[in-house]
């Protein structure tokens, strides 16, 4: 059976030609010919048919500003089309493999891996698993919302051309619609004129939850249930997914995320999810027009219907008149009324999610008792799964702020009580906070903010409003507080103290928050035992932990740890400290949930999520895992429903397998000599990386040889690009740091120091053979080397040299040879250890890079020319911003 009408080659060729036609008709023949000349020259050079890029360089240098804008826009638009074509190819591959039964990492494969286990063990594994993708508002999404909408329409046209059997007339109409949409895209402004606001970012996250994940999640549950049914009898499937968000609640470094923004975000999320349920009930009503004369609805259903009729007697009479002898429809109408009254002043809305799911379960049970098994499975069960997953809040919000903000606010508030908090040492602060939490009377009044400086007042207001939010939307809607740069026990106790003073904590009976330290610096990671162990032994915190089910969530920061220590050293620190955390919680009989603060890029913890989950230390795999999803990675994973479903399947496959493995082998059995080798590599890699950052002139080189100043002005996110506005590596946020290196094709955050580290290990007597054995048999080491290889493969030192030439001559001479030497060393070791000829060991990625590189080159060269100009006109500035957007699309990565 032929599933598809097209190939990726067809899509790329036809969409590329369409961009060319639109370019010529919307601008001029001269502009079209200029773009064609640049395109063919770049391809010829990459194919070895010409010896240099001199002609490309001369053409780009000779462009007038308006033509430069057109050229940048043409190549950027081309990459938008290529990205859609490759997305379509991903779907083809998924559908084809699924049809053939050859889909790797499938739910079927996960269930098959459990086939020899006792059903009770399988049930326990599933009970343990909970996967929590957490969407952040980190500013790496380069598209405007309008542009994204147009791209999705083009993608829909490609689906129709690829999957439908069309008449010649229908095909011609679709091709006309496709051309019209590409023409419209060309006429749409590509760059944001204003900085997005936090609510814009929240709405962006909500789009993916509402338009793909809400439906896709129900399908994944149905698939796992059906698949389990082929191997086991009567194994129930518990809740496996929960979605969370930072958009509208992450205050760290973003003064625009106010309590009012958080309130509006919570309200919007509730409206959204309730509308989805109402739509689902309306669809159910059209299906369940069953005649009462043919039914024995059953006692459970009858009781639920009778209770709802009692709540709404007038409406119940109206439902009887509208749906005479149709009890299911009457039931659905009354359920809809209860949904409508959630959060309303009118009584009898659902107080708890369990009431809604009980009504759905009664309906499903009645249907099954009356021969409607398939109806219940197709129409009711997915809705019940959606309700369990999304609740009445769509996604739970995590609050977050920097630890120093809490310290400053407490010092200001306690100062009014004649307590000099800032002068206390760590032990004294811990003692004061503990006593204040345990005593009944509050020490400060969070509602009294008069006379406090603005940051402190905002912190107190946030905790004051927390009570209101939990009362109105339920504790599950906003029940986690993450502390950035947490390095001391007092930093965690400060948040517990503020929540207690606001009334969200009443020990020992109740604690309304998971307090989550974010460990992201070398000092914090190495000091994890002191931080966490001290908290577990603290009288107040141990009571809070008991009230939260003795589950401690700890967040690990991939971004700042990488920026501080380099790629390999950061990954090693994270690996060994995860094991350390597992030992700590085991010593105190506490459960651990690790929250992985991953970014989209390799250097910030990116890479295939299923491989990352399988590479976690066994000691940490208790079934629950939480991780951030950021920026353009959200669109890549969740914009297309089929790809979103595939991502959820792969994550669930990996987590089921990892949990089963951890039961068999509770701790990683890693030879001591391997651990010593990794530590040696990490120490030398860290030294090499930190030596680079402290070299005289490094910051000046970075500022001159990358487009960092342009990126800071791009209006990509609501948060400032740096913490204080100072130009230092420490002050710069991890995202623009990585984004800038990616633009210049020198992606050193993903590999710098690796070569130096391995070389140091070998010089101390280590062997390549042992490194190859580590790669073959140790998932952590293999994944780390593979991810570095991906960053190396996306690096192009020849293009990077064009950026180096923009810097002052002495800076270029000082730094670029160092980069080149480390790149060559790291690339050589990566291929040798991985026993491969090429850095890229995935055929589809090799083909994608081959397809993209010639088209990225003109944008890179044009960008270097524009960066090299001391004074730029407004048109040239616009062209420069467009090159940033185009390279981001071409590299499929920002930060």
């Amino acid at each position: 059976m032929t599933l598809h009408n097209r190939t990726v080659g067809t899509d790329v060729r036809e969409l590329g030609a369409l961009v060319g036609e639109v370019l010529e008709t919307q601008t001029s023949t001269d502009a079209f010919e200029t773009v064609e000349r640049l395109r063919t020259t770049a391809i010829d050079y990459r194919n070895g048919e010409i010896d240099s890029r001199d002609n490309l360089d001369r053409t780009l240098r000779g462009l007038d500003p308006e033509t430069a804008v057109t050229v940048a826009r043409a190549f950027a638009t081309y990459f938008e089309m290529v990205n859609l074509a490759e997305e379509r190819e991903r779907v083809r591959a998924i559908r084809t493999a699924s049809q053939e039964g050859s889909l790797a990492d499938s739910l079927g494969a996960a269930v098959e891996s459990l086939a020899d286990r006792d059903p009770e063990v399988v049930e326990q594994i599933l009970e343990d698993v909970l996967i929590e993708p957490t969407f952040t508002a980190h500013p790496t999404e380069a598209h405007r919302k309008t542009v994204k909408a147009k791209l999705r329409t083009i993608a829909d046209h490609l689906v129709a051309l690829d999957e439908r059997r069309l008449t010649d007339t229908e095909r011609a109409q679709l091709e006309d619609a496709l051309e019209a949409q590409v023409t419209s895209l060309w006429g749409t402004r590509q760059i944001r004129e204003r900085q997005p606001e936090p609510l814009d970012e929240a709405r962006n996250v909500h789009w993916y939850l509402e338009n793909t994940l809400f439906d896709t999640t129900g399908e994944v549950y149905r698939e796992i249930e059906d698949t389990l049914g082929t191997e086991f009898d009567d194994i129930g499937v518990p809740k496996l997914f929960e979605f969370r968000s930072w958009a509208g609640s992450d205050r760290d470094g973003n003064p625009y995320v106010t309590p009012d923004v958080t309130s509006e975000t919570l309200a919007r999320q509730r409206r959204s999810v309730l509308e989805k349920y109402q739509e689902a009930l309306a669809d159910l009503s059209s299906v369940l027009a069953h005649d009462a004369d043919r039914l024995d609805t059953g006692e459970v259903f009858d009781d639920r219907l009778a209770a709802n009729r009692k709540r709404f007697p007038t409406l119940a009479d109206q439902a009887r008149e509208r749906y005479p002898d149709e009890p299911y429809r009457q039931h659905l109408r009354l359920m809809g009324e209860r949904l409508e009254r959630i959060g309303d002043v009118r009584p009898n809305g659902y107080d708890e999610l369990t009431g809604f799911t009980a009504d759905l379960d009664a309906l499903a049970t009645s249907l099954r008792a009356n021969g409607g098994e398939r109806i219940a499975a197709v129409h009711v069960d997915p809705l019940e799964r959606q309700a369990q997953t999304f609740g009445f809040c769509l996604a739970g919000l995590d609050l977050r702020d920097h630890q120093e903000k809490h310290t400053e606010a407490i010092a200001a508030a306690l100062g009014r009580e004649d307590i000099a908090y800032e002068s206390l040492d760590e032990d004294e602060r811990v003692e004061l906070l503990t006593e204040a939490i345990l005593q009944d009377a509050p020490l400060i009044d969070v509602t009294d903010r008069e006379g406090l400086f603005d940051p402190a007042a905002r912190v107190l207001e946030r905790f004051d409003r927390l009570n209101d939010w939990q009362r109105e939307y339920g504790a599950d809607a906003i029940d986690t507080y993450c502390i950035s740069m947490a390095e001391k026990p007092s930093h965690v106790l400060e948040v517990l103290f503020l929540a207690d003073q606001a009334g969200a904590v009443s020990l020992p009976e109740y604690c309304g928050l998971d307090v989550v330290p974010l460990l992201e610096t070398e000092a914090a990671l190495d000091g994890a035992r002191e931080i966490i162990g001290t908290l577990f032994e603290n009288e107040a915190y141990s009571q809070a932990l008991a009230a939260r089910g003795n589950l401690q969530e700890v967040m690990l920061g991939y971004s700042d740890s990488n920026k501080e220590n380099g790629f390999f050293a950061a990954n090693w620190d994270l690996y060994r400290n995860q094991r350390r955390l597992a030992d700590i919680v085991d010593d105190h009989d506490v459960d651990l949930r690790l929250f992985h603060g991953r970014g989209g890029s390799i250097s910030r913890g990116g890479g295939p999520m299923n491989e990352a989950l399988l590479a976690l230390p066994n000691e940490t795999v208790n079934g629950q895992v939480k991780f951030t999803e950021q920026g353009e990675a959200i669109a890549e994973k969740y914009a297309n429903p089929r790809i979103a479903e595939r991502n959820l399947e792969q994550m669930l496959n990996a987590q089921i397998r990892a949990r089963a493995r951890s039961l068999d082998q509770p701790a990683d059995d890693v030879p001591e000599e391997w651990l010593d080798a990794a530590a040696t590599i990490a120490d030398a890699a860290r030294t090499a990386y930190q030596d680079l950052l402290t070299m005289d002139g490094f910051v000046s080189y970075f500022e001159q040889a990358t487009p960092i100043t342009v990126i800071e002005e791009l209006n990509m996110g609501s948060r400032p690009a740096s913490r204080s506005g100072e130009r230092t590596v420490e002050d710069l946020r991890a995202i623009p740091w990585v984004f800038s290196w990616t633009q210049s094709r020198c992606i050193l955050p993903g590999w710098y120091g690796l070569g130096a580290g391995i070389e140091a290990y070998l010089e101390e007597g280590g062997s390549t053979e042992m490194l190859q054995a580590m790669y073959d048999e140790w998932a952590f080491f293999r994944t780390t080397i593979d991810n570095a290889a991906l960053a190396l493969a996306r690096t192009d030192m020849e293009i990077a040299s064009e950026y180096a030439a923009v810097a002052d001559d002495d800076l270029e001479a000082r730094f670029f040879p160092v980069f080149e030497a480390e790149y060559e060393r790291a690339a050589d070791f990566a291929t040798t250890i991985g026993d491969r000829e090429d850095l890229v060991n995935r055929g589809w990625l090799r083909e994608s890079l081959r397809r993209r590189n010639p088209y990225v080159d003109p944008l890179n060269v044009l960008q270097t020319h524009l960066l090299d100009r001391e004074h730029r006109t407004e048109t040239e500035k616009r062209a420069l911003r467009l090159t940033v957007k185009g390279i981001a699309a071409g590299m499929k990565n920002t930060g």
Side-chain angles (χ1 to χ4, degrees):
M1 180 176 67
T2 301
L3 294 176
H4 306 103
N5 305 319
R6 298 163 70 89
T7 65
V8 65
T10 303
D11 286 338
V12 170
R13 185 172 58 254
E14 293 186 5
L15 287 171
L18 191 52
V19 172
E21 292 171 15
V22 170
L23 169 65
E24 186 169 16
T25 57
Q26 296 298 309
T27 58
S28 67
T29 300
D30 286 346
F32 169 75
E33 291 176 348
T34 297
V35 170
E36 277 296 290
R37 187 162 60 253
L38 292 168
R39 183 180 73 85
T40 55
T41 302
I43 292 172
D44 289 346
Y45 178 73
R46 284 280 182 173
N47 290 340
E49 296 175 16
I50 57 177
D51 296 331
S52 75
R53 288 195 176 96
D54 289 348
N55 288 337
L56 181 74
D57 190 74
R58 278 193 296 272
T59 302
L60 289 167
R61 283 189 185 278
L63 297 180
D64 62 82
E66 286 293 345
T67 305
V69 168
T70 300
V71 166
R73 186 163 195 171
F75 281 103
T77 304
Y78 169 78
F79 281 123
E80 303 288 16
M81 299 300 102
V82 170
N83 290 341
L84 292 178
E86 290 189 351
E87 176 186 276
R88 180 97 291 271
E89 182 65 5
R90 288 176 68 190
V91 173
R92 285 190 198 99
I94 293 168
R95 296 181 79 234
T96 300
S98 178
Q99 177 68 15
E100 294 172 351
S102 60
L103 194 63
D105 306 321
S106 67
L107 294 180
V111 171
E112 188 176 335
S113 72
L114 303 175
D116 294 335
R117 296 178 184 265
D118 291 337
E120 295 79 10
V121 175
V122 175
E123 284 189 325
Q124 184 59 56
I125 290 170
L126 293 175
E127 283 288 344
D128 291 343
V129 168
L130 181 65
I131 300 169
E132 298 186 64
T134 302
F135 297 97
T136 80
H138 284 174
T140 61
E141 173 56 72
H143 287 134
R144 293 179 59 221
K145 185 177 179 180
T146 302
V147 171
K148 284 196 297 187
K150 292 181 182 300
L151 291 173
R152 293 325 308 166
T153 302
I154 293 170
D156 291 342
H157 292 330
L158 289 178
V159 174
L161 288 167
D162 190 33
E163 296 183 10
R164 285 174 52 192
R165 298 187 60 151
L166 302 167
T167 66
D168 291 343
T169 300
E170 289 169 338
R171 183 174 294 102
Q173 289 172 342
L174 266 175
E175 289 170 348
D176 286 346
L178 186 61
E179 181 175 357
Q181 199 60 234
V182 175
T183 304
S184 174
L185 178 66
W186 180 268
T188 302
R189 178 168 42 83
Q190 299 286 307
I191 304 295
R192 294 188 182 100
E193 293 298 320
R194 68 171 180 87
Q195 189 175 20
E197 297 175 356
L199 285 173
D200 296 326
E201 294 168 335
R203 282 189 285 267
N204 179 60
V205 167
H206 299 164
W207 187 93
Y208 297 100
L209 291 166
E210 296 162 5
N211 291 282
T212 56
L213 287 168
F214 187 84
D215 292 325
T216 298
T217 301
E219 293 166 6
V220 172
Y221 274 113
R222 182 178 173 191
E223 183 177 351
I224 188 67
E225 287 171 335
D226 290 346
T227 308
L228 277 168
T230 64
E231 295 285 350
F232 302 97
D233 294 327
D234 299 325
I235 287 187
V237 177
K239 178 180 178 179
L240 300 170
F241 294 98
E242 180 177 302
F243 296 98
R244 301 191 68 87
S245 175
W246 282 9
S249 59
D250 176 12
R251 180 66 175 76
D252 181 23
N254 193 338
Y256 308 115
V257 180
T258 64
D260 287 343
V261 166
T262 303
S263 291
E264 176 55 32
T265 302
L266 287 164
R268 191 185 188 284
Q269 289 187 176
R270 170 175 280 182
R271 288 195 302 270
S272 170
V273 76
L274 293 182
E275 286 172 5
K276 299 295 289 186
Y277 295 147
Q278 293 283 21
E279 291 169 7
L281 293 184
D283 291 341
L284 269 177
S285 185
S286 67
V287 172
L288 302 184
H290 291 58
D291 187 345
D293 290 342
R294 298 184 169 190
L295 295 174
D296 178 4
T297 50
E299 183 179 351
V300 174
F301 176 85
D302 290 345
D303 287 347
R304 300 296 302 185
L305 178 58
N308 283 335
R309 282 173 172 165
K310 187 175 181 180
R311 290 184 178 95
F312 310 113
T314 302
L315 185 62
D317 290 342
Q318 294 172 356
R320 284 193 189 93
E321 291 179 13
R322 183 171 182 181
Y323 305 117
D325 298 320
E326 294 177 339
Y328 293 157
R329 281 182 158 180
Q330 294 174 24
H331 181 62
L332 292 168
R333 177 65 187 88
L334 299 176
M335 286 178 65
E337 184 66 20
R338 294 196 71 185
L339 285 174
E340 181 126 352
R341 296 191 182 201
I342 292 175
D344 202 330
V345 293
R346 295 173 297 172
N348 293 321
Y350 286 112
D351 294 324
E352 302 285 345
L353 179 67
T354 51
F356 181 52
T357 55
D359 278 346
L360 288 172
D361 190 60
L363 181 58
T365 301
S366 179
L367 282 166
R368 287 185 166 92
N370 286 276
E373 167 65 37
R374 187 50 50 193
I375 296 174
V378 171
H379 295 286
V380 184
D381 292 352
L383 178 56
E384 191 169 348
R385 290 300 191 187
Q386 288 163 334
Q388 292 166 349
T389 303
F390 297 95
F392 291 150
C393 61
L394 186 66
L397 291 186
D398 288 6
L399 291 162
R400 185 173 78 127
D401 207 346
H402 196 287
Q403 55 86 6
E404 67 181 19
K405 301 298 182 184
H406 311 129
T407 304
E408 291 169 357
I410 289 173
L414 290 178
R416 300 194 298 192
E417 307 298 327
D418 296 324
I419 300 174
Y421 184 76
E422 65 275 8
S423 68
L424 302 180
D425 63 25
E426 174 64 13
D427 290 342
E428 290 169 332
R429 289 184 180 188
V430 167
E431 183 180 0
L432 170 66
L433 295 168
T434 302
E435 290 178 0
I437 294 167
L438 291 174
Q439 72 182 29
D440 292 334
L443 188 57
I444 63 173
D445 182 359
V446 296
T447 66
D448 180 10
R449 299 181 285 273
E450 187 175 348
L452 292 179
F453 65 102
D454 187 54
R458 287 190 178 199
V459 170
L460 295 186
E461 182 185 2
R462 186 185 318 139
F463 281 91
D464 183 26
R465 298 280 288 276
L466 174 62
N467 256 340
D468 296 335
W469 295 328
Q470 292 196 339
R471 277 195 299 269
E472 184 168 359
Y473 299 102
D476 291 346
I478 184 164
D479 65 348
T480 300
Y481 200 112
C482 187
I483 308 159
S484 299
M485 292 293 174
E487 296 185 333
K488 299 176 182 178
S490 65
H491 295 159
V492 179
L493 288 172
E494 284 169 351
V495 169
L496 186 64
F497 166 77
L498 288 167
D500 173 76
Q501 302 299 289
V505 172
S506 180
L507 298 180
E509 294 83 11
Y510 178 74
C511 180
L513 279 180
D514 286 327
V515 185
V516 181
L518 168 47
L519 308 180
E520 48 195 327
T521 64
E522 183 184 3
L525 289 166
D526 286 345
R529 176 168 285 277
E530 180 183 353
I531 298 169
I532 304 300
T534 300
L535 289 169
F536 289 171
E537 294 168 5
N538 178 273
E539 184 180 359
Y541 194 81
S542 62
Q543 289 185 20
L545 198 59
R548 300 295 294 179
N550 276 327
L551 175 68
Q552 176 65 55
E553 183 174 307
V554 177
M555 185 173 184
L556 301 173
Y558 288 68
S559 301
D560 284 289
S561 57
N562 177 280
K563 186 159 68 72
E564 179 188 17
N565 301 292
F567 176 72
F568 190 89
N571 277 275
W572 172 243
D573 285 347
L574 288 162
Y575 174 81
R576 66 189 180 88
N577 282 294
Q578 287 177 63
R579 300 184 76 188
R580 186 178 298 171
L581 284 166
D583 288 342
I584 296 168
V585 299
D586 190 53
D587 289 346
H588 292 83
D589 198 24
V590 172
D591 293 325
L592 173 68
R593 176 167 61 224
L594 287 178
F595 182 4
H596 300 273
R598 295 160 47 95
S601 62
I602 293 297
S603 61
R604 297 182 53 243
M609 177 57 72
N610 54 317
E611 294 179 13
L613 293 174
L614 288 168
L616 295 175
N618 280 5
E619 296 94 320
T620 70
V621 180
N622 60 9
Q624 295 197 28
V625 66
K626 186 174 175 181
F627 49 86
T628 52
E629 297 278 29
Q630 301 180 12
E632 76 286 337
I634 296 176
E636 186 173 343
K637 291 181 179 181
Y638 301 112
N640 181 290
R642 190 62 190 88
I643 293 173
E645 183 179 354
R646 172 66 171 153
N647 270 288
L648 295 182
E649 289 171 356
Q650 287 183 299
M651 288 189 286
L652 184 53
N653 167 289
Q655 195 65 358
I656 288 172
R657 290 165 54 203
R659 181 54 181 149
R661 184 189 65 198
S662 71
L663 291 177
D664 296 335
Q665 184 180 324
D668 272 6
D669 185 18
V670 183
E672 200 64 34
E673 59 183 357
W674 291 7
L675 297 172
D676 291 342
T680 299
I681 294 169
D683 288 343
R686 188 192 327 272
T687 298
Y689 176 81
Q690 292 179 343
D691 285 349
L692 171 69
L693 266 58
T694 55
M695 281 178 67
D696 184 40
F698 177 78
V699 172
S700 296
Y701 176 88
F702 174 67
E703 192 165 33
Q704 293 177 30
T706 76
I708 177 59
T709 55
V710 184
I711 288 168
E712 289 175 329
E713 299 170 356
L714 269 182
N715 290 330
M716 291 180 65
S718 67
R719 194 169 71 162
S722 65
R723 289 181 169 86
S724 67
E726 297 179 7
R727 176 60 78 231
T728 63
V729 174
E730 293 80 10
D731 182 69
L732 192 70
R733 295 194 182 283
I735 293 168
W737 164 255
V738 177
F739 194 176
S740 301
W741 289 112
T742 303
Q743 285 278 305
S744 66
R745 306 293 291 280
C746 184
I747 314 174
L748 65 80
W751 49 261
Y752 195 90
L754 176 65
I758 294 174
E759 187 171 89
Y761 160 76
L762 294 174
E763 288 175 350
E764 290 186 16
S767 70
T768 301
E769 290 75 18
M770 194 168 86
L771 293 176
Q772 289 173 331
M774 292 163 62
Y775 179 88
D776 290 338
E777 301 176 39
W778 187 12
F780 158 75
F781 192 72
R782 179 173 58 255
T783 301
T784 304
I785 296 297
D786 283 348
N787 284 339
L790 284 175
L792 287 160
R794 289 189 167 106
T795 295
D796 188 314
M797 293 309 290
E798 186 176 355
I799 290 292
S801 69
E802 301 275 354
Y803 286 84
V806 177
D808 294 342
D809 291 346
D810 64 320
L811 293 175
E812 178 188 6
R814 193 181 313 161
F815 288 101
F816 194 70
V818 176
F819 298 162
E820 282 189 305
E822 180 61 10
Y823 172 83
E824 294 297 335
R825 191 162 43 178
D828 182 55
F829 284 135
T831 52
T832 300
I833 292 169
D835 193 22
R836 62 178 92 163
E837 295 182 1
D838 198 310
L839 285 166
V840 182
N841 62 354
R842 293 175 171 87
W844 64 266
L845 178 58
R846 189 179 299 112
E847 176 64 20
S848 177
L849 291 173
R850 183 200 64 77
R851 182 184 299 124
R852 290 165 180 277
N853 279 336
Y855 292 82
V856 182
D857 294 350
L859 288 171
N860 282 125
V861 176
L862 176 57
Q863 188 178 90
T864 61
H865 294 335
L866 293 167
L867 288 172
D868 203 23
R869 295 178 187 175
E870 190 171 340
H871 301 290
R872 289 184 285 268
T873 66
E874 287 303 315
T875 303
E876 288 171 332
K877 291 178 182 177
R878 183 174 171 226
L880 186 53
R881 291 194 297 270
L882 282 167
T883 64
V884 171
K885 180 181 181 299
I887 293 168
M891 297 291 290
K892 293 190 77 175
N893 198 269
T894 54

